[in-house]
Amino acid sequence: MTKISPYGAASLREAAMLIRAGEPVAVPTETVYGLAADATDDRAVAAIFAAKGRPSFNPLIVHVADLAMAQSLAALNPVALLLADRFWPGPLTMILPVRRDSGLSPQIMAGLPTVALRLPAHPAMRALIRESGRPLAAPSANRSGSISPTRAEHVLASLDGRIRMILDEGPTSEGLESTIVAPEDTQIRVLRPGPITTAMLEQAAGLPVIVGAPVGRVEAPGQLESHYAPSKPVRLDALTAAKDEYLIGFGLMPCHANLSPDADLREAAAQLFAALHQADASAAARIAIAPIPSEGLGAAINDRLRRAAA
Ligand code: TXA
Ligand code: MG
């Protein structure tokens, strides 16, 4: 029922036709596979929520082909323009005041006065936006709350029968969802840590970078405590496996799967969700994960691990 098609000219045309017909299609980005649909079409956007079983209070990220498309949807202040210049195309999402004349389906914003915009680097996603001629709403292509997909097989395992087509272009390079920031006039707030690290943001903007929402406000509603969750209990900071555990290692250590024997954080980020999918599918009753250093990209990895264990 759900078809996996290798990415190419013919499959791209077919995917763009489905998008124009108001259907969601799974497509790779450099972070994770997304479930993309026309962000200006109410029924197409509703179909994303339905396929994922996503709560309607959780707003979606809109993917654009270029800066002009971004500016037709939202207002970019000087800090946003600077970040766009430095990090787009790439794994950075910005929360921006939505324009009155954006034409976006209101479900995208879920009642917020802002919209999340990202200009992705992956050729397949960029080609699909251009070919369909629409801004594309795309959450991660998995059932709501479960592990994000970094390969076409992960999408199939989660959404088989719920969508018509998956464009397959192999494993994604970053492996973690985009960094989400709110660019303010004098500071940058990070709402979801990701591949663009705090240090990279600080260096690019020369502004203070604050991690997390102000107390009492949920700024990225999807940052629910339990998320990216395997179906089995997860134990963090594990150095050895109990008898019933599947141990995911980091650095040289005895384990069932290793995120990076060389203790390289980029490699670990790229491998993380595949390792969790594999551990979930294994015969072991529980999952254990080695400690990961928290500096740099480690902050984003540990954010996902905490939610997987919550
Ligand atoms: O890397 C990514 O960002 C991937 C790929 C497919 O682009 N997409 C992704 O989407 O991770 P999703 O829906 O799984 O996560 C989007 C997050 C959610 O936590 C949502 O609550 C938050 O962005 N979000 C969306 N619009 C927002 C807004 N206006 N204000 C605050 N948070 C927002
Ligand atoms: Mg997600």
Side-chain angles (χ1 to χ4, degrees), residues 85-99:
D85 183 56
R86 175 69 183 75
F87 297 112
W88 279 0
L92 182 75
T93 296
M94 293 199 271
I95 306 297
L96 303 164
V98 66
R99 284 176 60 135

Side-chain angles (χ1 to χ4, degrees), residues 32 52 54 58 139-142 144-146 148-149 177 192 227-228:
V32 300
K52 280 182 63 82
R54 185 179 179 109
N58 194 359
S140 51
N142 54 278
S144 184
S146 64
S148 293
E177 301 84 351
R192 178 174 72 184
H227 212 92
Y228 316 101

Side-chain angles (χ1 to χ4, degrees), residues 7 43-44 58 68 80 90 111 173 184 232 251 276:
Y7 172 59
R43 284 182 45 207
N58 194 359
S173 59
E184 298 174 355
K232 299 171 181 176
L276 285 173

